[in-house]
Amino acid sequence: MPGDNSVGSPPTPRSPIARLRHRRRSAEAVPDVSKTNGGNLLVNDRNKYRSMLVRAYSSIWMIGGFALIIYLGHLCITAMVVVIQIFMAKELFNLLRKAHEDKHLPGFRNLNWHFFFTAMLFVYGRILSQRLVNTVTSDKVLYQLVSSFIKYHMVVCYFLYIAGFMWFILTLKKKMYKYQFGQYAWTHMILFIVFTQSSFFVANIFEGIFWFLLPASLIVINDIAAYICGFFFGKTPLIKISPKKTWEGFIGASITTIISAFLLANIMGRFKWLTCPRGDLSTGWLDCDPGPLFKPEYYTFPEWLPQWFPWKGISILPVQWHALCLGLFASIIAPFGGFFASGFKRAFKVKDFGDSIPGHGGITDRMDCQMVMAIFAYIYHQSFVVPQSLSVDMIIDQILMNLTLEQQQILFEKLKQVLHDRLVG
């Protein structure tokens, strides 16, 4: 048609500035109206009841299994932590795995696990060395073997790491350098951020199951309370990188967690199985003096309360005040571990780290906040709960770990002579 200039006519040339503006506009993401108006919130999800049932079913099984492992004792809890670490490492190793590149690098995947188990030997060797010594003290042969292992533990771990480093260098292939160095860096990040943090769980376990169970329970309670409050009342988005999190869920979970911390500490603090530290790797029943933190103190209510009020006072364990600090951290700071994981998943465009737990995702999806909490619980316990001055038990532990049996006998004779001279004098 004569009047139609759109057919067969060359496109009108645009200036460089116009082309630049066009590229900027095309690069900008078109905002999703449903998301900006809270369309991703649980309260607006049509399938929320179905997902809640699946999530609740999985949670019941996990909590039941967790309670059984707690009853079985320190070694079973430690084994559970190790299994969780292995599953987390597997999920994260697979996150950046590329099948096409791996076909050209046979055996390269085993290098990740070499570094992982080397880190496990180093960290757990440092944490459990004293308990291992205390376990084999009565057997002279085993005691000598364990003492030698502890003495050369760092050297063994170092050369294992160097062997892995040399293995990596020898497997470098042309046109695969970027992928291989990326995997090398990714493996070390997993070891530092995931494995090292979660290893503090084991340190907490042997200080007393209480210091493992209470922080872990508070994270579970915070997660469940945030889900329920957000499920029924969530209207106000909390943070962009995690669009289903709401202020209503965050505030409701914080209040629930702090109250639960105070109450749970009173219940758990009355069981010696939970409060006694484990000094060895045996599985026997524990019986110890719980210490002043776990001995109840009675507080009388003020006289201005009305006469009809049924209680005149309340019994509180001193550890409950420490539990409030743990509850504050679990409700306000620890959720940022979950926000970090959400941003991480968005960066790699994945919904979950895995699918091993129906309704929850992978093991890593359940452990993001737990790792942050484990470190804080350990640091808090060492800074504000453990006596800072030397004690008899601490000195004996150092003697058993650092001196041979012959040196211990010499020390015993000298100490006996010194005490005899003082008493006679």
Side-chain angles (χ1 to χ4, degrees), residues 381-396:
H381 180 266
Q382 295 297 315
S383 302
F384 301 106
V385 177
V386 174
Q388 299 302 311
S389 58
L390 290 175
S391 64
V392 174
D393 291 337
M394 293 172 63
I395 295 174
I396 291 176

Side-chain angles (χ1 to χ4, degrees), residues 14-29:
R14 289 183 293 183
S15 66
I17 297 178
R19 287 197 297 270
L20 180 60
R21 289 175 178 172
H22 176 73
R23 283 198 297 269
R24 286 179 177 175
R25 286 196 298 270
S26 62
E28 292 176 355

Side-chain angles (χ1 to χ4, degrees), residues 1-200:
M1 292 177 62
D4 189 356
N5 296 327
S6 62
V7 179
S9 59
T12 306
R14 289 183 293 183
S15 66
I17 297 178
R19 287 197 297 270
L20 180 60
R21 289 175 178 172
H22 176 73
R23 283 198 297 269
R24 286 179 177 175
R25 286 196 298 270
S26 62
E28 292 176 355
V30 180
D32 189 342
V33 178
S34 64
K35 291 182 180 181
T36 54
N37 292 333
N40 276 350
L41 301 179
L42 281 173
V43 73
N44 300 322
D45 190 352
R46 295 181 180 180
N47 297 321
K48 64 178 184 178
Y49 289 102
R50 181 181 176 183
S51 63
M52 183 182 70
L53 289 175
V54 175
R55 191 182 181 100
Y57 182 76
S58 300
S59 299
I60 291 172
W61 276 102
M62 285 192 294
I63 293 173
F66 183 71
L68 176 62
I69 292 173
I70 293 296
Y71 174 78
L72 293 176
H74 301 71
L75 289 182
C76 289
I77 302 173
T78 302
M80 177 191 70
V81 172
V82 171
V83 171
I84 288 173
Q85 289 176 328
I86 292 173
F87 273 93
M88 290 175 64
K90 181 181 178 182
E91 291 174 355
L92 293 171
F93 285 154
N94 291 334
L95 191 61
L96 290 186
R97 185 177 181 180
K98 296 181 181 179
H100 176 72
E101 282 79 357
D102 285 345
K103 287 181 181 179
H104 297 85
L105 299 168
F108 183 73
R109 186 58 50 187
N110 296 329
L111 186 60
N112 294 337
W113 292 108
H114 172 82
F115 284 122
F116 177 82
F117 287 111
T118 299
M120 181 177 289
L121 178 64
F122 176 76
V123 173
Y124 287 142
R126 302 287 288 182
I127 294 175
L128 300 178
S129 59
Q130 183 55 56
R131 275 90 184 179
L132 187 58
V133 169
N134 295 343
T135 305
V136 301
T137 302
S138 57
D139 191 312
K140 188 174 181 179
V141 176
L142 281 178
Y143 179 80
Q144 292 293 339
L145 289 175
V146 170
S147 299
S148 299
F149 169 75
I150 292 174
K151 182 178 180 180
Y152 300 109
H153 167 254
M154 190 174 293
V155 175
V156 171
C157 294
Y158 175 75
F159 278 103
L160 283 174
Y161 178 83
I162 289 298
F165 176 74
M166 295 171 64
W167 180 3
F168 169 74
I169 298 299
L170 294 174
T171 56
L172 288 174
K173 284 191 176 182
K174 196 174 182 180
K175 297 183 179 179
M176 304 291 289
Y177 295 153
K178 185 175 181 180
Y179 175 73
Q180 288 181 279
F181 276 100
Q183 288 291 312
Y184 185 80
W186 177 240
T187 301
H188 283 70
M189 194 199 79
I190 292 172
L191 296 179
F192 178 73
I193 295 182
V194 177
F195 177 77
T196 305
Q197 292 188 76
S198 56
S199 297
F200 282 93

Side-chain angles (χ1 to χ4, degrees), residues 222-240:
N222 185 264
D223 188 37
I224 294 174
Y227 181 81
I228 293 175
C229 294
F231 186 90
F232 290 104
F233 310 110
K235 296 289 186 182
T236 312
L238 175 63
I239 189 168
K240 290 182 179 180

Side-chain angles (χ1 to χ4, degrees), residues 12 78 101 192 207 312 329 340 349 364 379 384 399 408:
T12 306
T78 302
E101 282 79 357
F192 178 73
E207 294 292 344
K312 302 301 180 183
F329 188 91
F340 176 85
K349 299 179 181 179
T364 310
I379 293 175
F384 301 106
I399 291 172
Q408 293 173 24

Side-chain angles (χ1 to χ4, degrees), residues 387-423:
Q388 299 302 311
S389 58
L390 290 175
S391 64
V392 174
D393 291 337
M394 293 172 63
I395 295 174
I396 291 176
D397 287 343
Q398 292 297 318
I399 291 172
L400 292 175
M401 185 170 62
N402 297 307
L403 299 182
T404 64
L405 190 59
E406 291 75 13
Q407 291 173 330
Q408 293 173 24
Q409 291 174 343
I410 295 172
L411 177 63
F412 173 75
E413 294 297 332
K414 288 186 176 181
L415 184 60
K416 183 171 67 173
Q417 184 63 40
V418 170
L419 292 176
H420 179 270
D421 294 342
R422 286 190 177 184
L423 291 173

